[in-house]
Each structure stands twice: as C-alpha cells, then as structure tokens.
Amino acid sequence: MDSALLRVDEEKARHAKRVKLRELNAAMDIQVELSRLDSTLKRHTGLIKRMRQSLGADHRDQILKDIDSLSLEKYIDEIAGAALEGIMRCKTEKDIWSAVEVISALHRRFPAAFTPSFISSLSTALAAPSRAALSALPPEQREKEDSARVSRQRPLLRVCSELALVGIITDGQRRSGGEWIMKVLRELLSNDPTLSSLPLLSIFLKSYSRPYLGLTPPQSKQISAETEPGTLSSTTTNATRGEFPTLLHEDEELVEQEIRDRFKRMCEGYFDSVSKKLTIEHKRLQDQDRRNHEAYIRSGEIFEDRQQAYEKMTKGYEKLLASCQTLSELMYLPMPSLPTASQKSDSIQIGGNAVSGDEEDPLANSGGKWEDEEERRFFEDIQDLKDFVPKSVLGIESDEKEDQEIAEEREKVEKEKADAEAKKLEEELEGLKLDSDRVNGRNDGTTEVEMREEEPDGTITPTPTSPTKASSPPLSPQLAPQGPSQLLTALLARLPDATNRTMIDQAAIDFAFLNSKAARKRLIKFLGAVPKNRTDLLPHYARFVATLNRYMPDIGAELVALLDEEFRYLQRKKNVVKELAEVRLKNILYLSSLTKFRVVPSHLVLHMFKVCLDDFSGTNVENISILLEGCGRFLLRSDETRERFGTMLELMRRKQSMQHFDQRQILLLENAYYQCNPPERTPRQLKERTPLELFIRHLIYDVLAKKTIDKVLKLLRKLDWDDPIVQRALHKVFTKPWKIKYSNVNLLAMLTYDLQRYHPAFAISVVDQVLEDIRRGLEQNVYSTNQRRVATIKYLGELYIYRLLGSILVFDTLWSLVTFGHPEGHPLPRQPCPLDMPNDFFRIRLVCVLLDTVGMCFDRGTQKRKLDNFLVFFQYYVLCKEDLPMDVDFMLSDSIEAIRPKMTMYKTIEEAAVAVDDMFNAALQNAGLSTGEDSGEDSDEEGERPQQQDEDDDDTTGQESSNEDRTASPDPVVVLSTQEHLGPSEEAEAEFEKELAKIITDSSAESRKVDKKTAWWDSAVLAPNLRKKRADEGDVDAGGDNKPDGDAVMQFTVITKRGSKQQGRHLLVPAESALAVHTRSAQLQDKVEQQHLKRLVLDYEQREEAEEMKALEVRNRAGAIKIRYIG
C-alpha cells in the first residue's frame, strides 16, 4: 500500500504541474518592452548554441533568462531547429520537463511565429520511415537505421506528449492534443512490419498511460492479514476497480474521455497483433528447433548456416517476447498462452500399437511431413493476394459472417464424411482380421456397388460459391485499353513457362486483376487440360490454384471435381493399360500436389485411395504407388488424416501379403510405402574419443593453416610423446591425409618434417604407413577409396619435397602404379587385368598427381634420365588403355607439359613400344650387360663403398642439403655403364694432377707421415723445364726403377742453384738403401690417396650405378620388363 500511495502522490504532482503550465500557456498575458530587450548577435548565437547542446535541466535557467531578455524575432527559424536538436539530447524525466518549459516560454512569446513551424518540425521528425527505402537496404543496415530512428524519436515523443497535455499541441479550440499523439503513434505502428517501433509505444505507456488511456492498476488480489473470516466477499464487492479511485474527476482530466477510449482500443488491438505474432514466432522457433534436431540425428552435426539462422531467429523471438511482456505489464493485460515445447510424434507406427502423443518422438526415424525446408516453403508459404490486390477487386469487404458460416458448414459435412469413412474402414479391417480370404472375395464382388454408392456422395459435397462482389470487378486503368480477354489469353500462354515460385505467384496476382466468372471458367478449362508429358508443371499449377482458392474457391472446387471425374473415368477404363498410363500418372500427381496444398478435401483423396485399394490389382497398384509417393507422407503426418490413412496403409500391407504380385509391382509398393513411412533406424552412434585425442584432431583438422603451423607445432611438441595413447592418436591423424583439406596436405607434410628433428622414429612410421596405404590401394582397387588414394599420393609427394624420403621410393611408387597387377609386370594393350582394367583410368590420375607434386625436382642428372625413361614407359602404359576421357586427357597433357614441355608424345601403341624397346636396349648396352652377368656383381662390389660414403655425406649435411643433393634411388630399368668403362679421360687426368699438386702444397706437413725434407724436395721445387725433361726421359715423379748393371737402383734428382738459375743432376741410389725404401713407401701412399680422392671428386655419379646394374641384372634374369614389339 505504501508504494501505491507513493504512486498516487507522484501522479498528482505531475498533474498539478501540467495544469499550472497549461493555464499559464492559455493566459498569453506576457507584456514585453521591446526597447529593453537585447538584440546583439553574440548573445543570440550563444543562446542558439546552448539550445542545440541540450534543453535539459542544466541549461534551463540560463535559456529561460535569455528568452526573457533577448529580442529573438529575427532568429525564430534557427531557434526552432536548435530546440528540435536539443530535445533529442534529453534523457531523464527532469530534462523532458525542462524542455517543455523552454518551449512553453517560446510559445507564450511567439504563438504565431514559433509554435506552428515547430509543431510541423516535430511531426516530420516523428513520421514513419519509408517502407520502400527500408526494403532497399540490407538487413543489417536496416536494423541499424531502425535503432537510430527509435533513439531519435524517443525523447521527441515524450516531449510531444507533454506539449499536448499543457495546451501547446491541440486538436482544436478548447481541445487537448490527444488525437494528434494518437495519430502519430498509429502511423508509426501501422507502417512497421518488423515491430521496430514497439519500444516507442512502451516508453509512451510507461509515462502517459494514465492521462491518455485512463489506465489504472487492477485491484490487488492479496488478502490482508487483518481480514476477518467471512468478510472477504463483501470486501471484494465494495472494492473499487483501480488503485486510483479518487485521483481525478472527469472535469479535471487533461484528455477527453472519447480520445482516451479510442486510444485504449487502439493500444489493445496492437497488443493483440503483437501477441499473435509472438505465438507464430514461438511455433516457428519450435519447428526450427525440431528440424535442427532431425538434421543432427541424420548427419551428426548442425551446419553453420542452419545454426546461424536458428540463433538469429532466437534473438528476434527473445526481443519480441520481452517487448510483449513489457506491453502486458504496462496495459495490465494477460500474456498470450504459448504452446509447450513438447511436440507431437511424427514417427508413425502403422497398426494397433500406434505411438501416442505422450511418448517420446524419435525424430531420427521419419521426420516431419516435408522432406526438407525448401519443400515446406513451397507448399506452405503461400502469398496472400490482399497484400497485392485491392480488397474491392477481391470482393472481401464485409462478408466475414457469411464466409464463417459457410466454412463451418463445410467443415461439419467433411467431418461427418470422414467419420463415416473411418467407421467403414474399421469395420472392414476388423473383418479382414477375422477371415482374410473371405474379405478378399467380398471386396472383389462389392467394388462396383461401392463405386455406385460413392458417386452420388461426390455430388452432395458442398461446392463453395464464388464471392458475390467479385463477379465483375472493375478493371484497372492500365489493363482496360488492352481488353481483359487478350490479357487473359496472354496470361494463359505464359503459364507453361512459369516453372518457379516467383513467376507462378506473379501470375496469380495478374489473374486477380482479371478476375471474372468467364475468366475463371477459362482458367479451369486450361488447368484441367495440362499436356500429359508436362508433369513438371503440376506442382506449380497447384500452387497457382491454392493462391487463388482463398478468395476464389470455385476455381479449386471445380478443378478438383474435374480431376475426380477423370479419375472415375480411368477406373472404368482400367483394362486399357498402355494407352492411358501417362494420363493416370498426370491425374494422380495433380491430385497429390493439390492435396498437399489442402485444395483437395481429405475425405476425397482418402476415398480415391480406398477405391484403388478395393480393386488392388493391375493399374491400381501403380495408382496407389504414385499416390503414396506424391502425398502419402503428408497424409500420414497430418493431424486430421493420420489415423485414417494409417489404417488404410495397414490394410494395404495386409492385402499385399495375401495377394500375388510380380517383382515390378512388389518393388513399386515397397518403395512407395517406405518413402511415405520410412523404417525406424537408430541414431548414428558417435565414436567416443578422449579429450586429448579430440584436442589433437582439433589442432590438425581445424587450426592447422599457414599462419598457425608454428603454433600447432609447439602445442604438439608439448604433448607426452612417451605415452603410447598419444603416439597412436598422432599416428592416426598424420597417416590419414584425406581427412583434412586437400590444400593443407603440404602443411601436414611440413609438420611431419618439423617433428622429425625431435622424433625421427615417428616420421619413419608415418612414411611406412603412407607407402603401405598406397600398396593396399593397388591391391584392393575399391572405387569408394579413390579420394583417399589421391590424397595419399599427394601426401607422398609432399613428404619427398620435405626430404622425409628419397627419390628411390618415389620412382618405385611410379613404376608400381604402371606395372602392379599385370602379368609379369607387363601392361598389354587392351588386355583385361583384374586390378587394372583397360577402362579404369584412375592409376593415370595418381601418376599425374605425383608428377605434379614432385616432377619439377627431377630436372638434372641421373634423376632426370630416370624420369625421362619412366615417361616413355608411362606413355606406353597410357596407350595400352582404352580412349582416355576428356578430363583425364587434359590432366595428362598438363602434367607432362609442366615437367617436360618439349617431350615427344607418341600417338600409337607401336611407336610407344618401339621407344620402350630402344630405351631398354640403350640402358643394357651402356651397362655392358647385353651378354654377361658378372659385370653387375663387380659393379655392385665397387659401388658399395661409394654408396655408403654418399649416405654418410647426406647424414652430415642434414637439412642444409638441397633437393639435388639427395640420394637418388637406382631405377629398376635405367642402367648405366660399369665403372671400368666410365674411367676418367686424359684431360680429366691432367686436370686432376694440377688440382692434386695444389692440394698437397697447401696441406700441412703433419697430414702425411713423410720426412719433411723429402716432402719438401718432392713437392713442387722442380722447375718446369726439369719436370719436362724428366717426363721425356720416362721418369715418374721422383724417380723410377733403373737397372743398368742388373742391380736395382732408384734415380733421384739433385737440384742446385747457381745465381737465379736452377740446375738438376741425376743421382742413382741403390733400391735397398733406407732413402730409396722410404721414398718408395711415400710414393705408394700418395698413389692410394690419389685414387681415393679421384673417386670422390670425379666419380660422383658412379656411386649409385653399382646397385642400379645389380637391380637391372636381377630384372633381366626374371625377364620382368623387356618389351620388343614385333609387328
């Protein structure tokens, strides 16, 4: 009670202030001496600036003082604009009242010059926005515009409401401005389909519901503690209806009673509209939530666009709900009753154990009555013609009571028919359960009787009459000169091309302007004569009829009657099968589409299904199948037909099990039945994964990108790599490249390379698994794994680029792709192979993917020759296939052109076979293996140590080595010559001597265990002429064996110097002397080092040839790849 008394006091205080100011404004007795007023520009500019800033309480006193002391006559327009801007900056109730006082002061001084223009400005500022301008904006921009507009208009509306109460805004002499305010609010609310202006009504009712609407809080229902027992009824009877019973008398009210009543009715009507919209949005939100649940059950996830739409719908619904609750509290009206979240069961169980509405609905089993959202929008979101066509043209001005009575009568008749039909079905089903054989015989005998009984029933069905006022609507001025007949002809000619929703809706609007009885007859005749081969038009024509049927019900009724008559005719001609097959298909599909638009009465379509079911044979089997596929799902999930149609379906299944049908008919019935009532299936079980495994998958599948690869690497390194569970999870993720984006495969390989530095065993296991997957794909050759195989081949190439494997594995993979599975590794022209058929071109795709990935790396040296030899054989392999499809041909051309643009392409299998034969012959001749077998073994022994040395070099260089320095694997078919035939030439020998002399000169004395003097004299002190002389005499280096007297001696050269000229003298030393023995040992050691350096410097490419020759020899012995085309 204290709060109620406080509210009474506040309302009385506000009323007193308004009455006082109203009397002051009405007096208009201000006497101003113009001579005493200040007219300086500076003070006027300061006043205008201050008013623009705000008309609130902070500036009130100064502004009122300036108004009383300044002339202001020359600045009325500027002051009006400044006042309008200052009002928009007022926030609190105190600021609003200060603005009202300022405007009242201006009104009292300039009632004719200021007040009319200012009120006009207020009216313009409070005008509703242009719907055309808003519709042209995108949704986000439209929301921003509405929000900014509401923020501007909120203080303006409050100030205007106060001005109407204090007598500045008036509707006439001695009248308040209540009607002016009501008109402004009506314009704002009626031109606001998105309800963006609803906060304006809320703020208005919060402050002015008492003076403008006369609303008072309802009587409290709380029982006082002091109430005596037995006196509650008398207390309630004597209590008044409001909390403010004696606040004001009628003569004290500031707004007239008539205006208050009209204002209240307008607000209550608007609240009803908002409540209806809230109920609709609530149902839409529940339907969207149900569809999201179905989608989640079906696919295991909710797609992003669906989730965003649901969140946007939820946000709008919550905003609307809050606004509706605010209006309910301010107007003391109850909130609308919203349907509960429990949904009806859409999973249909045919038979006696049907699912009740209280049981839980396994939405994954069958879904709703529509297969998807697009179908639902097509059949349910039908435009209302009255939004586009004047009501006078549609003839719907004041016949609501008559239409309601007709609709009630029609529903009553339909309900009676439905009950009779359901009762008849129950009786027949019960009889079928008792004696199925006798039921079949009775059904065959009574079909014609039932047909005759049903025909008069069809004539009794009430046909809705056309609106009386729509029989001859006035033509629009644009259509009159052309004539309605010509326009209707053009419209009908345009209908067969209207194959989308927009075009058919526009055609319905166009026909509404041409509506007449003759036009409707022509339209019905046209719609009933659809060509039998244009079944694609039937859903659109049904939508066209459904759009018009709301205001022209005779169109739908007569079209349905026409199709019903055609159906009966086809039943009488059911022995004519082939000639009328397309007509039957068109008839049933047309009826099905109209049924889903609710144009065909439910009892009629159920009767047709019953007629076909009574004679369940021949063409009726196809009719039932088409009907089930067309509208069976809709009938089975609609509330009004669920039970009856479910009974019919059970009857059909029983008859199907008792009768004999051929395989085609059984397939038709089964497909149709399960399409309208899918079998139950359990939701897909999601695999349970540990949080750590989910985190790893999130890093690789979601986070991994070019910008985040370093972050992912750091997080992966922080994992516990000693944990076998972590290792297994990482191994799974890194060996399944098909689960990530194809563009991120290179990032996965890069990540593997980075992890190799810290966990080399993990990188090796990844490479092994990738190679194993490629091999398994070749062995199984399953079409469903082709996408995985492409990703795996791409991954292999990326692993090679990041130096996780050598070229030997790449070339082995390439050769395996073109030889695996073929007899003895020989692809033969057009010969079927179980693992690689001639019309299977997928291996060509794999080779192209691998070449596109790593082909540019093989552009020099041995690897270039290996790739060239493979490409020759690859062309032969391609020509062994059938003619390539266009996409594979383009892929092959692009791949070869990228790596070998000048390569010769063979056109025939003969040319390719000869080229392959020549390639192998050249390889064998260069290797020297055309006749012998020992050379391969010798080369293997000689090449063993260089290969090992090369691997050691690779290990020392590590990551800094380039792609060209990688250890190249010997190709099984590319053979080079042996080491004996590839020795250095004379020019290379001379160059080597020169380089060796330089190396020995620069080396330290400790690098060789030789006497320093001997090494110094033996190094490079001999003059060139002396060396030449010694060479001419046949000496080698320091000396050689010379036996003039049969004794072994060694010749030395003694160098002497006379002046600047060197001279040499020959000295013979016995070979057994210490000097000769020591010198000979040093010479032999130098020779060994020379041979070793010679291998490292000049024979770089010979390191791999030993294994190549051995591999080729093994292949030659097995006869695996030796192709000679004789022809």
Side-chain angles (χ1 to χ4, degrees):
M1 292 298 293
D2 294 338
S3 61
L5 293 176
L6 181 62
R7 291 165 61 188
V8 170
D9 294 339
E10 291 177 354
E11 189 64 32
K12 286 183 177 180
R14 282 194 291 266
H15 179 75
K17 286 195 302 182
R18 290 165 185 160
V19 170
K20 182 178 179 181
L21 187 57
R22 183 170 183 170
E23 293 175 353
L24 189 61
N25 292 334
M28 301 292 290
D29 56 354
I30 298 178
Q31 300 294 333
V32 179
E33 295 183 9
L34 297 179
S35 60
R36 299 180 59 183
L37 297 178
D38 191 353
S39 61
T40 58
L41 177 63
K42 183 177 180 180
R43 291 196 62 187
H44 284 82
T45 305
L47 172 64
I48 294 173
K49 184 178 179 180
R50 194 175 295 110
M51 293 180 68
R52 288 184 190 277
Q53 291 177 355
S54 177
L55 294 182
D58 297 337
H59 298 161
R60 168 185 171 275
D61 296 336
Q62 184 63 37
I63 293 175
L64 290 177
K65 181 179 178 182
D66 290 342
I67 291 174
D68 293 336
S69 61
L70 298 180
S71 62
L72 305 178
E73 294 175 350
K74 299 179 181 180
Y75 305 96
I76 296 298
D77 294 338
E78 290 82 355
I79 290 175
L84 192 63
E85 293 185 18
I87 290 174
M88 295 181 186
R89 291 177 171 83
C90 296
K91 303 298 181 182
T92 63
E93 183 179 357
K94 192 174 181 181
D95 292 339
I96 296 295
W97 184 252
S98 299
V100 171
E101 289 181 329
V102 171
I103 295 170
S104 297
L106 291 170
H107 167 69
R108 290 194 296 271
R109 280 202 58 183
F110 307 102
F114 171 77
T115 306
S117 62
F118 182 69
I119 293 176
S120 177
S121 301
L122 287 175
S123 179
T124 304
L126 287 173
S130 174
R131 299 182 69 175
L134 287 179
S135 61
L137 297 176
E140 295 81 5
Q141 187 66 24
R142 191 183 310 142
E143 291 181 3
K144 292 181 180 179
E145 290 291 334
D146 287 336
S147 178
R149 176 182 61 82
V150 170
S151 299
R152 292 193 308 268
Q153 292 179 341
R154 183 182 290 114
L156 290 174
L157 181 61
R158 295 180 64 183
V159 170
C160 289
S161 302
E162 292 287 355
L163 294 178
L165 293 175
V166 298
I168 295 179
I169 298 177
T170 60
D171 299 327
Q173 192 68 22
R174 304 181 62 84
R175 287 181 63 87
S176 67
E179 191 166 358
W180 190 92
I181 298 293
M182 184 170 62
K183 181 180 178 182
V184 168
L185 275 175
R186 185 191 299 117
E187 291 295 326
L188 285 172
L189 300 176
S190 60
N191 292 284
D192 183 29
T194 60
L195 301 182
S196 59
S197 299
L198 199 149
L200 294 175
L201 179 61
S202 300
I203 198 68
F204 173 79
L205 292 175
K206 187 175 296 184
S207 302
Y208 306 104
S209 61
R210 174 65 187 86
Y212 280 98
L213 278 70
L215 293 179
T216 56
Q219 177 69 30
S220 175
K221 295 183 180 180
Q222 185 175 2
I223 302 175
S224 174
E226 300 176 357
T227 304
E228 294 294 335
T231 62
L232 182 60
S233 58
S234 60
T235 304
T236 306
T237 305
N238 298 329
T240 57
R241 296 182 59 187
E243 289 286 346
F244 305 92
T246 60
L247 179 60
L248 298 173
H249 297 290
E250 183 59 35
D251 54 354
E252 296 177 351
E253 295 287 351
L254 299 178
V255 180
E256 295 80 2
Q257 178 68 35
E258 177 195 358
I259 301 298
R260 295 203 306 270
D261 294 341
R262 288 169 54 195
F263 217 141
K264 183 176 180 182
R265 287 197 298 270
M266 184 193 79
C267 293
E268 289 177 350
Y270 184 73
F271 176 76
D272 293 339
S273 301
V274 174
S275 301
K276 292 178 181 178
K277 186 172 179 61
L278 177 66
T279 305
I280 294 173
E281 291 297 324
H282 182 76
K283 292 180 179 178
R284 286 185 60 223
L285 185 63
Q286 286 187 339
D287 292 342
Q288 185 65 33
D289 183 63
R290 178 177 55 81
R291 286 192 293 272
N292 287 350
H293 184 65
E294 294 175 10
Y296 180 77
I297 294 298
R298 283 196 303 268
S299 59
E301 62 177 341
I302 300 177
F303 296 108
E304 186 177 357
D305 55 346
R306 185 184 289 268
Q307 183 67 23
Q308 290 177 354
Y310 179 74
E311 291 175 357
K312 184 178 180 181
M313 187 182 299
T314 303
K315 183 179 178 181
Y317 170 75
E318 291 175 352
K319 184 178 179 181
L320 180 61
L321 178 62
S323 301
C324 191
Q325 289 175 345
T326 303
L327 287 182
S328 174
E329 294 172 0
L330 294 174
M331 300 181 66
Y332 312 111
L333 294 175
M335 280 287 292
S337 59
L338 300 176
T340 58
S342 59
Q343 297 294 321
K344 294 184 178 180
S345 175
D346 287 330
S347 177
I348 308 301
Q349 297 290 333
I350 304 301
N353 56 345
V355 178
S356 62
D358 297 331
E359 296 182 9
E360 184 180 359
D361 176 20
L363 292 171
N365 296 342
S366 58
K369 66 176 69 173
W370 310 113
E371 294 184 0
D372 50 31
E373 182 65 18
E374 183 64 26
E375 185 182 11
R376 187 198 67 79
R377 286 198 296 265
F378 182 81
F379 286 102
E380 287 190 351
D381 295 349
I382 302 174
Q383 64 182 359
D384 195 346
L385 288 179
K386 69 179 180 181
D387 296 335
F388 306 93
V389 182
K391 293 183 178 180
S392 59
V393 176
L394 296 176
I396 53 173
E397 290 182 340
S398 60
D399 295 337
E400 296 181 358
K401 293 183 179 181
E402 297 179 3
D403 294 341
Q404 186 176 1
E405 292 176 0
I406 293 174
E408 289 178 356
E409 291 179 2
R410 184 167 66 246
E411 290 178 1
K412 185 177 180 180
V413 173
E414 289 182 1
K415 186 175 181 180
E416 292 176 356
K417 279 188 164 294
D419 294 340
E421 193 78 22
K423 188 175 181 180
K424 189 182 298 184
L425 280 173
E426 292 292 344
E427 294 175 356
E428 184 171 351
L429 185 60
E430 190 67 27
L432 185 64
K433 292 178 181 178
L434 296 176
D435 190 1
S436 58
D437 296 334
R438 187 176 58 183
V439 166
N440 284 332
R442 186 184 64 189
N443 287 342
D444 296 337
T446 59
T447 301
E448 297 180 359
V449 177
E450 291 182 0
M451 283 286 292
R452 288 194 298 269
E453 291 176 353
E454 293 294 340
E455 287 180 359
D457 292 342
T459 59
I460 296 175
T461 303
T463 302
T465 58
S466 59
T468 57
K469 296 189 178 183
S471 59
S472 58
L475 293 173
S476 61
Q478 294 82 1
L479 301 179
Q482 302 179 18
S485 179
Q486 291 81 359
L487 289 173
L488 182 59
T489 303
L491 175 62
L492 297 181
R494 209 169 65 237
L495 277 181
D497 297 327
T499 54
N500 60 52
R501 188 166 57 183
T502 304
M503 296 175 67
I504 206 69
D505 289 348
Q506 184 60 40
I509 296 174
D510 295 342
F511 181 82
F513 284 102
L514 302 172
N515 181 26
S516 66
K517 191 172 183 180
R520 292 198 296 272
K521 286 186 176 181
R522 283 187 61 187
L523 178 64
I524 294 168
K525 184 177 179 182
F526 177 82
L527 294 175
V530 181
K532 57 185 179 181
N533 58 345
R534 290 300 305 272
T535 55
D536 59 305
L537 296 174
L538 301 179
H540 298 90
Y541 283 5
R543 182 181 176 87
F544 180 76
V545 173
T547 305
L548 299 174
N549 193 58
R550 182 178 302 180
Y551 302 102
M552 309 167 200
D554 55 332
I555 294 180
E558 293 185 19
L559 180 61
V560 170
L562 187 65
L563 293 175
D564 186 23
E565 183 63 30
E566 185 180 36
F567 175 78
R568 296 174 185 275
Y569 169 77
L570 293 173
Q571 284 296 312
R572 292 193 294 269
K573 298 291 184 180
K574 56 189 173 183
N575 294 329
V576 183
V577 180
K578 294 184 178 180
E579 292 79 0
L580 297 177
E582 293 182 350
V583 180
R584 289 191 182 90
L585 176 63
K586 185 203 72 172
N587 180 263
I588 298 297
L589 288 178
Y590 214 162
L591 287 167
S592 300
S593 299
L594 291 171
T595 300
K596 288 191 283 189
F597 281 109
R598 302 182 187 276
V599 176
V600 178
S602 59
H603 69 86
L604 181 60
V605 69
L606 292 177
H607 165 67
M608 293 178 179
F609 189 83
K610 179 68 167 52
V611 168
C612 295
L613 195 58
D614 289 339
D615 186 13
F616 197 33
S617 62
T619 57
N620 281 336
V621 175
E622 297 180 4
N623 291 342
I624 287 180
S625 302
I626 299 170
L627 193 63
L628 288 178
E629 292 176 0
C631 61
R633 186 187 184 100
F634 174 81
L635 294 173
L636 195 58
R637 284 159 180 79
S638 297
D639 295 336
E640 61 271 14
T641 58
R642 180 195 305 263
E643 184 177 355
R644 286 174 288 161
F645 192 69
T647 306
M648 287 186 176
L649 274 183
E650 184 183 4
L651 182 61
M652 184 199 77
R653 297 291 286 177
R654 290 174 180 270
K655 284 194 171 185
Q656 180 183 346
S657 62
M658 297 175 186
Q659 294 180 225
H660 176 71
F661 296 103
D662 58 27
Q663 193 64 30
R664 185 186 67 86
Q665 292 175 329
I666 292 176
L667 187 61
L668 283 174
L669 292 173
E670 292 293 328
N671 289 342
Y673 175 78
Y674 288 115
Q675 185 170 345
C676 75
N677 187 45
E680 291 187 7
R681 59 183 179 88
T682 58
R684 187 176 63 179
Q685 297 293 331
L686 294 178
K687 185 177 180 181
E688 294 184 1
R689 294 184 173 91
T690 61
L692 189 59
E693 186 176 358
L694 292 174
F695 175 69
I696 295 173
R697 292 168 62 88
H698 170 68
L699 288 180
I700 301 302
Y701 297 156
D702 302 332
V703 181
L704 183 60
K706 289 183 180 179
K707 297 181 180 179
T708 59
I709 187 170
D710 295 333
K711 175 183 176 182
V712 173
L713 175 63
K714 291 180 182 178
L715 292 174
L716 290 179
R717 287 186 58 199
K718 291 181 180 180
L719 298 176
D720 184 10
W721 285 79
D722 296 331
D723 188 356
I725 299 178
V726 174
Q727 291 184 2
R728 185 165 58 252
L730 289 169
H731 186 269
K732 286 182 180 179
V733 172
F734 275 83
T735 55
K736 295 179 179 180
W738 57 85
K739 290 193 173 183
I740 64 175
K741 295 180 180 179
Y742 190 74
S743 58
N744 287 349
V745 172
N746 62 329
L747 300 179
L748 189 62
M750 188 187 304
L751 204 57
T752 310
Y753 167 72
D754 292 334
L755 290 173
Q756 180 200 17
R757 308 176 188 177
Y758 315 102
H759 307 283
F762 173 75
I764 295 173
S765 65
V766 169
V767 174
D768 288 343
Q769 186 62 45
V770 170
L771 294 172
E772 181 64 26
D773 292 340
I774 294 174
R775 182 76 175 191
R776 186 185 302 111
L778 293 174
E779 293 174 352
Q780 296 176 353
N781 193 28
V782 180
Y783 176 79
S784 60
T785 61
N786 283 357
Q787 210 167 13
R788 297 185 177 186
R789 295 172 65 186
V790 170
T792 307
I793 285 289
K794 171 75 173 177
Y795 191 36
L796 179 71
E798 296 293 344
L799 290 175
Y800 171 75
I801 290 178
Y802 288 101
R803 300 194 290 273
L804 289 169
L805 51 90
S807 62
I808 181 172
L809 295 177
V810 175
F811 282 106
D812 285 347
T813 303
L814 287 172
W815 282 97
S816 299
L817 290 174
V818 297
T819 60
F820 183 82
H822 293 276
E824 298 181 356
H826 297 166
L828 300 176
R830 306 294 194 276
Q831 293 297 321
C833 174
L835 298 179
D836 189 18
M837 298 299 289
N839 59 353
D840 185 4
F841 309 101
F842 185 69
R843 289 194 184 185
I844 300 177
R845 291 179 181 270
L846 296 180
V847 173
C848 291
V849 170
L850 191 54
L851 291 178
D852 291 340
T853 308
V854 301
M856 73 292 294
C857 300
F858 305 141
D859 57 350
R860 64 189 66 181
T862 306
Q863 295 176 349
K864 180 177 183 298
R865 291 195 296 272
K866 290 180 182 178
L867 184 59
D868 291 340
N869 292 335
F870 170 76
L871 291 177
V872 172
F873 189 85
F874 181 50
Q875 292 189 58
Y876 168 77
Y877 171 80
V878 171
L879 292 172
C880 289
K881 297 282 186 179
E882 296 180 358
D883 294 339
L884 298 181
M886 185 179 296
D887 57 336
V888 179
D889 192 11
F890 286 162
M891 179 184 291
L892 177 64
S893 302
D894 294 342
S895 299
I896 294 182
E897 185 177 358
I899 57 177
R900 297 293 186 269
K902 298 182 180 180
M903 186 174 186
T904 304
M905 300 296 294
Y906 303 110
K907 302 297 183 183
T908 62
I909 188 69
E910 292 84 358
E911 295 177 3
V914 171
V916 171
D917 194 24
D918 294 342
M919 177 192 69
F920 285 127
N921 285 336
L924 291 173
Q925 289 175 4
N926 291 335
L929 294 177
S930 57
T931 56
E933 297 179 357
D934 297 333
S935 59
E937 299 175 0
D938 296 340
S939 64
D940 183 28
E941 295 174 358
E942 293 179 4
E944 182 177 357
R945 198 173 68 174
Q947 177 71 19
Q948 183 65 33
Q949 180 67 27
D950 183 61
E951 294 174 357
D952 296 340
D953 292 343
D954 287 344
D955 293 337
T956 57
T957 56
Q959 301 165 0
E960 298 176 356
S961 61
S962 61
N963 289 338
E964 291 79 5
D965 296 334
R966 297 179 187 164
T967 303
S969 62
D971 198 300
V973 296
V974 180
V975 182
L976 302 177
S977 59
T978 60
Q979 193 165 349
E980 293 83 0
H981 295 84
L982 292 177
S985 62
E986 294 182 1
E987 292 81 0
E989 192 72 36
E991 184 180 358
F992 173 74
E993 291 289 347
K994 183 178 178 181
E995 294 293 331
L996 180 62
K998 184 177 179 181
I999 293 174
I1000 294 176
T1001 303
D1002 296 338
S1003 63
S1004 62
E1006 296 178 359
S1007 62
R1008 296 166 57 186
K1009 305 296 184 178
V1010 186
D1011 184 41
K1012 293 183 179 181
K1013 293 182 179 181
T1014 305
W1016 183 84
W1017 286 107
D1018 195 37
S1019 57
V1021 295
L1022 288 179
N1025 58 346
L1026 294 179
R1027 291 184 181 182
K1028 184 176 181 183
K1029 183 178 179 181
R1030 289 188 61 183
D1032 294 340
E1033 293 175 356
D1035 296 334
V1036 178
D1037 291 337
D1041 292 340
N1042 192 4
K1043 304 177 183 179
D1045 300 330
D1047 297 330
V1049 296
M1050 178 177 287
Q1051 181 177 346
F1052 287 85
T1053 301
V1054 180
I1055 301 174
T1056 60
K1057 187 174 183 181
R1058 182 175 296 176
S1060 61
K1061 185 177 180 182
Q1062 288 184 355
Q1063 293 182 354
R1065 293 177 55 191
H1066 298 296
L1067 179 64
L1068 297 178
V1069 178
E1072 293 83 1
S1073 64
L1075 177 62
V1077 172
H1078 193 276
T1079 302
R1080 175 63 66 183
S1081 300
Q1083 289 178 349
L1084 291 176
Q1085 186 176 356
D1086 288 343
K1087 203 164 190 178
V1088 171
E1089 290 185 2
Q1090 285 180 6
Q1091 294 296 330
H1092 181 64
L1093 291 174
K1094 193 180 297 182
R1095 276 194 221 97
L1096 295 179
V1097 176
L1098 298 179
D1099 299 342
Y1100 178 76
E1101 294 183 355
Q1102 296 179 10
R1103 298 172 189 173
E1104 303 172 356
E1105 294 174 356
E1107 291 187 6
E1108 294 175 359
M1109 290 182 292
K1110 185 175 180 180
L1112 178 62
E1113 191 170 346
V1114 172
R1115 288 180 176 272
N1116 288 338
R1117 290 172 183 172
I1121 305 178
K1122 179 64 178 176
I1123 301 176
R1124 294 183 182 278
Y1125 187 84
I1126 302 175

